[in-house]
Amino acid sequence: MNFPQGFDFDKNTREILQSLDRRGSLPHAIIIESPNTQAAEKLALFLAAYSVCGCGGERPCMTCNQCEKALDKAHPDISYPKPDKNKSKTYDVKSMRAIISDAYIKPNEAAVKVYVFEHADSRFTPIVQNTFLKLFEEPPENVRFILICENAQRMLDTIRSRFTTIRFGGAARLDENAVAAAEKIAEGILSAREYDLLLSLKALEDKELYEQIFTALKQILRDAMGLLSGAKTLGNRELAQRLAARFTAVKLINMIELCDRSEQQIKQNVNINLLTTRLCGEFRRISWQR
């Protein structure tokens, strides 16, 4: 793999990219996760050029006709779909279905087609992600998908499991208050008293922190899932161990998906008091269901 001037990524990122290159081709689905949006977009541009490069040597050469079009964002086989002009600035199902249909049409010039989605973690609603799911499960051989995320944990687990994630530029740091609030919610889920959980969910009323609280809570739940399969934890190991001892993987997944749905509902300005009450009931239902 060639790293021309202007694409001097850090050592770890270069090693990851070179390992992908040694396999002969890029994975069909890649998530680029970075708090630095500009750097992530540069990496996406690099991967798009790599995919369509027409030189016979190391790719991307950045000098062939295909690469030059990629750099100018004028290549007919590289798309940067934009969200619909709606208030939430998210993609809608109708647009996604059009992209799915287009993905099965052969490329115009290059050997592959590339779709780059910017800010995917905030623009892809759970409904849209589920619409895309079958395409990601059984993609056409000549198509590549690149999702740019600040925090890939905001994507559904069913989506992330089908992507190769490249993290660079430092992990997004969560607010300490958000982490503490998430741990209290996890404690509430474990508590025998419903009031403990309902009280802990009040933290979601903070419009500045609720996204980070959900992110931290989902990480705690994922840590618990990881322990069930022998993986290491990223956060509070003792709390994750107690969750893993109490709940099955299926229940933990259901809780993560509940967090995803609830977070999107808050973004849609749902009544927060009604949501926290319903959320409390749903966590309790999942906890006690057989």
Side-chain angles (χ1 to χ4, degrees):
M1 182 173 280
N2 182 42
F3 297 100
Q5 186 176 0
F7 294 91
D8 47 345
F9 305 112
D10 62 83
K11 181 180 178 181
N12 182 59
T13 302
R14 290 199 304 272
E15 289 177 351
I16 293 172
L17 295 174
Q18 286 170 334
S19 69
L20 296 177
D21 185 49
R22 282 193 288 271
R23 298 176 188 174
S25 65
L26 292 177
H28 77 274
I30 294 174
I31 288 176
I32 299 173
E33 181 182 37
S34 175
N36 187 330
T37 301
Q38 186 175 3
E41 290 174 353
K42 178 185 284 190
L43 178 55
L45 181 64
F46 176 86
L47 294 175
Y50 173 96
S51 299
V52 300
C53 181
C55 80
E58 285 191 316
R59 297 179 290 163
C61 67
M62 298 302 187
T63 57
C64 71
N65 185 47
Q66 301 290 329
C67 282
E68 288 181 348
K69 289 182 179 180
L71 291 173
D72 292 335
K73 293 190 175 180
H75 199 291
D77 295 318
I78 303 175
S79 300
Y80 293 83
K82 300 299 180 184
D84 297 277
K85 296 179 180 179
N86 52 37
K87 187 176 180 180
S88 61
K89 297 181 181 180
T90 57
Y91 296 100
D92 66 11
V93 173
K94 183 178 179 181
S95 298
M96 290 300 100
R97 286 176 177 163
I99 293 171
I100 291 170
S101 297
D102 183 71
Y104 286 95
I105 299 174
K106 291 183 178 180
N108 292 287
E109 296 181 7
V112 300
K113 299 173 78 170
V114 183
Y115 295 88
V116 180
F117 295 92
E118 300 165 338
H119 306 290
D121 50 343
S122 60
R123 292 177 174 175
F124 274 49
T125 65
I127 294 175
V128 166
Q129 292 180 57
N130 284 323
T131 301
F132 253 144
L133 190 56
K134 185 170 178 60
L135 181 63
F136 293 149
E137 288 176 335
E138 302 174 4
E141 292 184 3
N142 58 347
V143 176
R144 303 287 180 269
F145 298 98
I146 300 174
L147 308 186
I148 298 175
C149 300
E150 181 177 334
N151 190 337
Q153 293 177 11
R154 294 173 184 164
M155 305 296 289
L156 297 178
D157 282 359
T158 49
I159 293 294
R160 293 194 349 264
S161 65
R162 289 162 176 81
F163 277 72
T164 296
T165 300
I166 300 174
R167 299 180 177 89
F168 76 110
R173 185 176 179 83
L174 295 175
D175 188 285
E176 291 182 0
N177 292 326
V179 174
E183 290 180 347
K184 285 184 179 179
I185 294 173
E187 293 282 3
I189 293 171
L190 287 164
S191 175
R193 297 198 312 163
E194 185 174 355
Y195 178 74
D196 292 339
L197 176 57
L198 187 60
L199 186 63
S200 68
L201 290 169
K202 290 290 185 182
L204 296 174
E205 295 177 3
D206 189 330
K207 293 183 178 180
E208 299 296 323
L209 283 184
Y210 77 88
E211 287 185 286
Q212 292 193 56
I213 292 172
F214 274 122
T215 297
L217 178 57
K218 287 186 286 186
Q219 184 56 61
I220 293 169
L221 296 170
R222 290 193 185 98
D223 276 347
M225 286 181 59
L227 287 175
L228 291 174
S229 59
K232 295 181 179 179
T233 59
L234 298 178
N236 188 326
R237 182 176 178 83
E238 186 272 335
L239 184 54
Q241 286 175 326
R242 290 162 57 202
L243 287 164
R246 173 81 175 273
F247 303 119
T248 64
V250 171
K251 288 185 176 183
L252 292 167
I253 290 173
N254 288 339
M255 289 181 186
I256 291 169
E257 292 179 346
L258 175 60
C259 289
D260 283 324
R261 293 194 300 271
S262 299
E263 184 176 351
Q264 290 303 319
Q265 288 173 339
I266 293 178
K267 290 179 181 179
Q268 295 166 4
N269 296 318
V270 70
N271 183 295
I272 190 65
N273 290 323
L274 291 177
L275 182 135
T276 52
T277 300
R278 185 193 65 81
L279 189 55
C280 178
E282 284 296 297
F283 274 128
R284 300 285 288 183
R285 181 187 64 79
I286 294 170
S287 299
W288 295 105
Q289 70 184 3
R290 292 185 178 275

